[in-house]
Amino acid sequence: MKRVAVIGATGSVGSSVLDVCRHHRDRVEVVALAAGENGEKLAALSAEFAASKLCLASREAAATLAGKLPSSAETLFGAQGLKTLAEDPDIDHVVFASSGTSAIEALQAALRAGKEVSLANKESIVVAGAWVMPLVRGRDQLRPLDSEHNAIWQCLQGEGGGNLRKIYLTASGGPFRDWPAEDLKNVTPEMALKHPVWSMGAKITVDSATLMNKGIELIEAAFLFGLEPHQVEALVSPGSFVHGLVEFEDGCVKMLAGEPDMRLPAASCLFWPERLSPSRDFPRPKLSPRDLSFGPADEGRFPALRTAKEALAKGGAYPALLVGADEVAVDRFMKKDIPFTAIPQVVEETMAAYSNAAPRSLGEALEVLEWARKYCASICDGMR
Ligand code: NDP
Ligand code: MG
């Protein structure tokens, strides 16, 4: 029986993970659950899974939640609460599926405590990869749950270290893949929130429409797999059946395909090296003719990808600047303060304005992140 904690339990990825757990109650015991503010949904999940360790972002939300739970339940709050869950001796496997950067220290704590970790939260690795990756013991302690990285991780199983030449992460291209550049300025939040393939949280759905998500994922991949910027590339594959490809030194290419459903990578992370069906009625892959084509992403129409590649190449403070500025830019786009096409523009401007040194500690990286949020907010204020 694997004892699991799910951080971000009320969100899109968290729901996929819990669906897998729901169908494997003989293998997985959900011991702990964490969310931001949604105490109502967390209380319902806690009752369903008999999870007795809960955490919410604020003290007030946690106090309200505690009133709805049996007295035996333990209710924690904030980043410290997440850290306490992550190093709890009653937990074997911690799933990081929250949005934002509040779980970075909990991620470090889980790795230090020798827990198995499934990681969907890309922000933490992009901002703090330099202070997270050295804590990983062995290839399978940290299991990438982001579907493209999960594909690469699976492709690398059984391969020797020095054989990898390059990896490719696929992108559907988002809802505006074939739109002419001049129409992109008219994209509304409602249009950007309709992803053609994946059903996800709002922030990552907008990031998929600008291709910023793919850019952030290139940085995530460089940290996770210890690769140089020239070894990670994005490919548009409209069929969304192939998720990641690895090119080896001899010219062979391995790729991982499957239905675009987050329950697949979730099951592989929870049960690896076993392969268990994510659910009783999970569809078999359709091996009939389907679009398996690959092409380059258009960085002219989708400059966010180019900006993210620049952040990857520069390293140092730039990945944190990218994450902080993009978080604010997407929020302001959703509030209709700035147009869709301004998202990459304000991120680029924020990066260009930074003149301090690269962070030397996690604390300094978090300061860079905060600086980027504030600087980008001031640019957006000026555009209203
Ligand atoms: P959602 O917005 O759907 O869910 C976010 C989750 O995080 C919710 O459970 C939310 O709780 C919780 N949360 C927010 N703040 C905190 C906090 N301070 N402490 C603890 N929990 C918190 O996002 P997604 O599920 O789409 O994405 C989650 C992460 O996974 C992101 O980093 C995203 O980039 C990544 N990812 C997502 C994929 C997807 O398919 N959706 C695919 C690959 C990666 P509450 O409900 O209370 O707000
Ligand atoms: Mg992804």
Side-chain angles (χ1 to χ4, degrees):
M1 203 62 158
K2 197 173 272 189
R3 297 166 301 172
V4 175
V6 182
I7 296 176
T10 53
S12 166
V13 183
S15 300
S16 295
V17 171
L18 287 174
D19 206 32
V20 174
C21 297
R22 194 173 277 127
H23 288 89
H24 290 283
R25 287 181 185 271
D26 54 331
R27 307 293 293 260
V28 171
E29 185 188 354
V30 179
V31 175
L33 295 165
E37 298 293 333
N38 193 346
E40 204 125 309
K41 189 162 175 189
L42 203 68
L45 289 171
S46 141
E48 181 190 349
F49 288 96
S52 58
K53 298 170 196 264
L54 291 312
C55 182
L56 285 171
S58 68
R59 184 194 293 267
E60 299 71 35
T64 310
L65 173 66
K68 297 179 181 148
L69 300 173
S71 56
S72 56
E74 192 182 342
T75 315
L76 304 162
F77 67 91
Q80 182 55 43
L82 295 179
K83 191 163 172 274
T84 304
L85 286 187
E87 53 198 12
D88 188 315
D90 288 342
I91 292 166
D92 308 308
H93 186 118
V94 188
V95 178
F96 287 88
S98 52
S99 49
T101 48
S102 50
I104 294 177
E105 280 157 356
L107 173 60
Q108 290 181 312
L111 292 168
R112 278 199 190 99
K115 312 288 183 193
E116 250 176 39
V117 165
S118 293
L119 182 71
N121 175 265
K122 51 193 86 182
E123 295 90 336
S124 43
I125 212 78
V126 172
V127 170
W131 299 280
V132 168
M133 291 314 294
L135 304 173
V136 179
R137 301 180 210 160
R139 174 142 69 189
D140 296 338
Q141 188 192 5
L142 179 58
R143 303 167 177 210
L145 177 43
D146 201 347
S147 56
E148 299 79 0
H149 307 75
N150 182 271
I152 303 296
W153 173 65
Q154 293 200 42
C155 287
L156 290 176
Q157 293 291 338
E159 299 289 345
N163 297 336
L164 186 161
R165 187 175 166 83
K166 193 162 180 169
I167 66 166
Y168 299 88
L169 309 181
T170 63
S172 70
F176 315 120
R177 186 183 63 227
D178 300 321
W179 282 38
E182 60 273 21
D183 289 353
L184 291 174
K185 62 180 184 305
N186 301 321
V187 167
T188 63
E190 294 73 21
M191 291 159 135
L193 286 173
K194 284 200 189 101
H195 195 276
V197 181
W198 297 94
S199 158
M200 310 178 283
K203 158 75 169 53
I204 184 177
T205 305
V206 174
D207 279 344
S208 299
T210 59
L211 293 198
M212 182 64 89
N213 180 51
K214 211 46 55 182
I216 288 175
E217 289 187 347
L218 293 180
I219 307 175
E220 180 189 7
F223 274 120
L224 284 175
F225 303 109
L227 301 174
E228 296 298 322
H230 69 271
Q231 291 180 291
V232 296
E233 191 52 270
L235 280 180
V236 172
S237 186
S240 296
F241 188 53
V242 175
H243 306 297
L245 306 88
V246 180
E247 180 188 334
F248 294 97
E249 283 297 346
D250 61 357
C252 284
V253 177
K254 263 193 189 177
M255 49 180 105
L256 189 107
E259 297 302 326
D261 185 319
M262 287 305 289
R263 290 177 297 173
L264 261 183
S268 77
C269 286
L270 285 170
F271 302 122
W272 192 265
E274 277 189 275
R275 290 194 179 273
L276 304 185
S277 176
S279 71
R280 213 163 289 130
D281 53 356
F282 196 79
R284 303 310 305 171
K286 291 180 213 67
L287 297 177
S288 48
R290 59 195 298 170
D291 183 0
L292 289 177
S293 64
F294 304 106
D298 183 346
E299 293 176 21
R301 280 182 305 132
F302 298 101
L305 180 58
R306 193 177 52 218
T307 304
K309 283 183 175 174
E310 189 189 317
L312 169 62
K314 287 185 164 169
Y318 289 88
L321 291 166
L322 184 87
V323 167
D326 181 57
E327 185 186 297
V328 171
V330 170
D331 179 57
R332 294 301 188 94
F333 163 68
M334 301 280 278
K335 291 177 175 148
K336 303 195 173 176
D337 286 351
I338 66 169
F340 182 74
T341 41
I343 297 174
Q345 201 182 313
V346 296
V347 173
E348 175 94 52
E349 273 182 52
T350 304
M351 278 169 42
Y354 187 78
S355 56
N356 289 345
R360 286 158 302 176
S361 63
L362 175 57
E364 287 185 7
L366 295 175
E367 282 170 21
V368 170
L369 183 76
E370 202 44 43
W371 181 90
R373 286 175 177 144
K374 288 201 176 116
Y375 191 89
C376 188
S378 69
I379 307 176
C380 295
D381 286 344
M383 291 175 97
R384 267 199 297 203

